[in-house]
Amino acid sequence: MTPHLQLLPKAILSLTKPVDWNQVGDADRALEMAYGLFHRHIDQSNSKLRNIFAVSADQDRLHFAEEYAHSVLGLTDLSEFIWFRRGVWLRETLPTTRYLEQRDHSVRTLHNYLLGWYFFVNCAAVRRQFQESFSIRGFGTQLGQLINGFGELWCFASLLHDIGYLFEGEIPRDTAALLDEGTRDGVRWAYEYFQEIFWDTLKIRSVDERKAMRKIVGFDPESVPDGGAGTVIQFLRDIGSLKKLTEAINTENGASVNILETLPSDAFQVWAINYRAFGQDSMAQRIEVLEVALYELIQQGIPGQAIRVLDHGICGGLLLLKCSTYWFRLIFALKYSDPPEGSIEEKLKSRLMALFNAGPPYYAVHWWKSVVWATAAVAIHNVQQNDQSPGLPSKKKLRLSDDPLGHLE
C-alpha cells in the first residue's frame, strides 16, 4: 500500500454521508457530497465502506471489497461484470497463481476507485478537464450530469480496469504448449461469460431460445479460443457486426456523432475511429501503436526481460468492449427486428423488450460516446506508463489534457 492510499479512508469516508437532495444549496456543497449523491441508492453504503477499512483479516477485506464493488457496479448496470473480478480474485488467492509476490487486485481496484473520486471532488483541474471532454462528447455539463457521467465512466476505468489479469502468465518458449495452464484457465473463465453467464442473466436457458436469439441478433457462434496468444487476441478484439448499432447511433435524435458508415468489427479500429470522431487524434495514434505493442509483447516479450505476455491492460479493455457491445447489439437488434407473428422470436422479443423497458433507457449513442471511451482508457492504462513499452516510439507520457479518464486511471 502506498502512502497516499494509507490516508484514503478518512478522506473518502467524509463523502459518504447520507444525502438529502433538498439540502444541496450550491455547487461547492454538492461537490462535497458528490460521492454520497452518486451512491445514494446503495443501502447502507456508508457502513459497507467502513467495514473494508475496519477489519484486519485479509479474507474479510476481500469479502467486503467485493460486496461493495458489486453494489457500485449495479448502479451503472454492470453488476454481472463482477464475474471477471471474481475470476481475478480466484487466480490470485489459489496456490496456482503464477506471480510469486502475492497481490490483491480486488481491494487495490477499490482503492483506485475511491482515490479517483477524491481527485474528482477536490481537484479543480481534473474536474474541469472532464467537463471539457464531456462537452466535446455531447454530455450534459450541469453539475449533476457531470457527477453521474464521471461515476459511470469511473466504474469501468477503475473497478474493472484490472480484469485483464485473468490472462496473466508467461507464454512458454521451447515447448509445444501454446499457453501456460494458468492463462488457459483465465481464457476459459472469460469465454464462459459469452457462452453462459450472458444468457443466464437474461434467463434464456433453453437451446432453442438461445439459437433463436443468436439468429435475431446476428451473433456468430463463439468457440472457445483454445489456441495460443494470437488466437486469444482474435477472440477478444472481434466485437461482432455493428451494422444495427451504427444505424441506431445515426438515427437517434440529438446524437452529436460523426459516423457515416457501418463501424468495423475490430475493437482497435473502433477505438481509433471514436477518438478521431471527437477530435482526439493523439489518442487515436496511441491506440494504433497499442496494437503494435500487444503483438510485440506476445512475440518478443517485455523489453529487457524477454518474458512473453498478454498485456493485462489491453486484454482487459478488449474484454470489456466485447462484453458491453454484446448487450447493446442485443438490445438494438431486438428493437429493430420484425419477427413473424406467433414465432419463438416474437415471444422472445416481447419478453426481453418488456425487461429492458422496465429499467433506464438504452441509447446507442451512449455506447458510442461513453462505453467505447471507457474501455479504451482501460486498454491504454498499463502500456502507456512504461517508456520502454514496444510500439511507443514517441515516449510521451499521457497528459491530463490528452484524455482525463486515461490519465486519472
Side-chain angles (χ1 to χ4, degrees):
M1 182 181 292
T2 54
H4 61 271
L5 288 181
Q6 292 176 2
L7 300 175
L8 181 61
K10 191 176 293 184
I12 289 299
L13 290 175
S14 68
L15 303 177
T16 60
K17 299 173 183 176
V19 173
D20 182 350
W21 274 101
N22 295 323
Q23 294 179 1
V24 178
D26 54 42
D28 289 340
R29 180 58 177 152
L31 279 170
E32 289 177 8
M33 299 188 296
Y35 190 91
L37 291 172
F38 184 78
H39 299 81
R40 65 192 181 278
H41 294 307
I42 301 179
D43 293 337
Q44 299 179 331
S45 63
N46 194 16
S47 62
K48 285 182 180 180
L49 192 55
R50 288 183 184 278
N51 284 337
I52 298 166
F53 301 110
V55 299
S56 56
D58 285 345
Q59 66 182 43
D60 291 332
R61 286 191 313 118
L62 286 168
H63 169 75
F64 288 123
E66 285 300 280
E67 182 183 58
Y68 191 67
H70 195 195
S71 297
V72 172
L73 290 172
L75 292 174
T76 52
D77 205 22
L78 297 172
S79 57
E80 75 277 1
F81 286 6
I82 198 73
W83 172 259
F84 302 116
R85 282 179 58 93
R86 193 163 296 140
V88 173
W89 173 77
L90 287 170
R91 290 212 59 193
E92 293 181 342
T93 55
L94 295 176
T96 54
T97 181
R98 301 293 296 174
Y99 191 70
L100 297 180
E101 297 180 24
Q102 190 73 356
R103 292 171 304 180
D104 172 12
H105 284 97
S106 295
V107 176
R108 176 188 176 279
T109 51
L110 181 57
H111 282 164
N112 191 45
Y113 179 73
L114 299 175
L115 186 62
W117 270 101
Y118 182 74
F119 282 135
F120 175 77
V121 169
N122 292 283
C123 181
V126 169
R127 194 167 55 251
R128 187 165 49 249
Q129 197 61 59
F130 269 101
Q131 192 162 12
E132 183 177 325
S133 295
F134 285 179
S135 178
I136 292 170
R137 287 178 171 265
F139 284 65
T141 54
Q142 295 180 358
L143 185 59
Q145 295 169 319
L146 182 64
I147 291 171
N148 286 332
F150 173 80
E152 182 191 16
L153 289 165
W154 196 233
C155 281
F156 268 107
S158 59
L159 292 178
L160 298 171
H161 90 273
D162 274 341
I163 64 170
Y165 276 113
L166 281 170
F167 311 106
E168 184 176 48
E170 182 176 354
I171 300 171
R173 293 183 185 271
D174 304 322
T175 173
L178 295 172
L179 294 173
D180 70 28
E181 196 55 35
T183 303
R184 199 170 296 284
D185 285 344
V187 171
R188 294 189 187 108
W189 188 273
Y191 172 72
E192 182 70 5
Y193 179 85
F194 301 96
Q195 189 67 16
E196 178 59 30
I197 305 301
F198 174 82
W199 299 106
D200 189 65
T201 302
L202 293 168
K203 299 297 185 287
I204 298 178
R205 292 165 176 160
S206 83
V207 172
D208 291 332
E209 286 186 339
R210 289 192 185 184
K211 286 182 177 179
M213 280 303 305
R214 287 185 181 277
K215 182 179 179 181
I216 292 175
V217 180
F219 281 166
D220 294 327
E222 296 280 6
S223 58
V224 61
D226 195 24
T231 302
V232 174
I233 291 171
Q234 284 297 312
F235 166 75
L236 292 174
R237 68 187 293 171
D238 183 358
I239 57 177
S241 171
L242 301 182
K243 185 175 186 297
K244 293 292 184 183
L245 198 48
T246 306
E247 291 173 357
I249 292 170
N250 284 325
T251 56
E252 284 183 0
N253 292 329
S256 55
V257 295
N258 183 23
I259 307 175
L260 300 179
E261 299 177 355
T262 299
L263 289 165
S265 299
D266 185 85
F268 287 101
Q269 293 179 47
V270 169
W271 282 330
I273 292 170
N274 181 274
Y275 274 128
R276 286 202 168 90
F278 295 105
Q280 295 175 281
D281 288 352
S282 66
M283 294 306 299
Q285 291 169 11
R286 284 182 181 271
I287 292 296
E288 289 164 358
V289 297
L290 196 69
E291 180 184 13
V292 176
L294 178 59
Y295 281 92
E296 288 198 15
L297 286 168
I298 69 170
Q299 293 166 1
Q300 306 300 325
I302 300 172
Q305 299 183 48
I307 298 173
R308 300 190 300 156
V309 296
L310 282 158
D311 179 77
H312 80 272
I314 303 174
C315 289
L318 291 171
L319 180 58
L320 279 175
L321 181 58
K322 186 179 180 77
C323 295
S324 303
T325 304
Y326 243 60
W327 285 97
F328 282 88
R329 288 177 62 200
L330 174 87
I331 290 166
F332 287 96
L334 272 179
K335 184 177 180 179
Y336 295 114
S337 67
D338 186 23
E341 185 176 352
S343 66
I344 186 174
E345 288 84 0
E346 183 193 42
K347 294 175 182 177
L348 280 170
K349 177 179 179 177
S350 176
R351 189 174 96 200
L352 291 179
M353 290 309 297
L355 175 66
F356 292 129
N357 290 335
Y362 276 77
Y363 297 102
V365 73
H366 177 72
W367 172 85
W368 178 240
K369 66 185 182 183
S370 297
V371 175
V372 176
W373 179 20
T375 56
V378 171
I380 289 169
H381 90 266
N382 186 50
V383 167
Q384 65 89 18
Q385 300 180 65
N386 186 353
D387 283 345
Q388 302 302 315
S389 293
L392 295 178
S394 65
K395 310 297 186 201
K396 290 183 179 179
K397 292 290 188 179
L398 186 64
R399 299 172 302 175
L400 180 61
S401 59
D402 291 330
D403 183 356
L405 187 60
H407 185 274
L408 190 60
E409 186 173 4

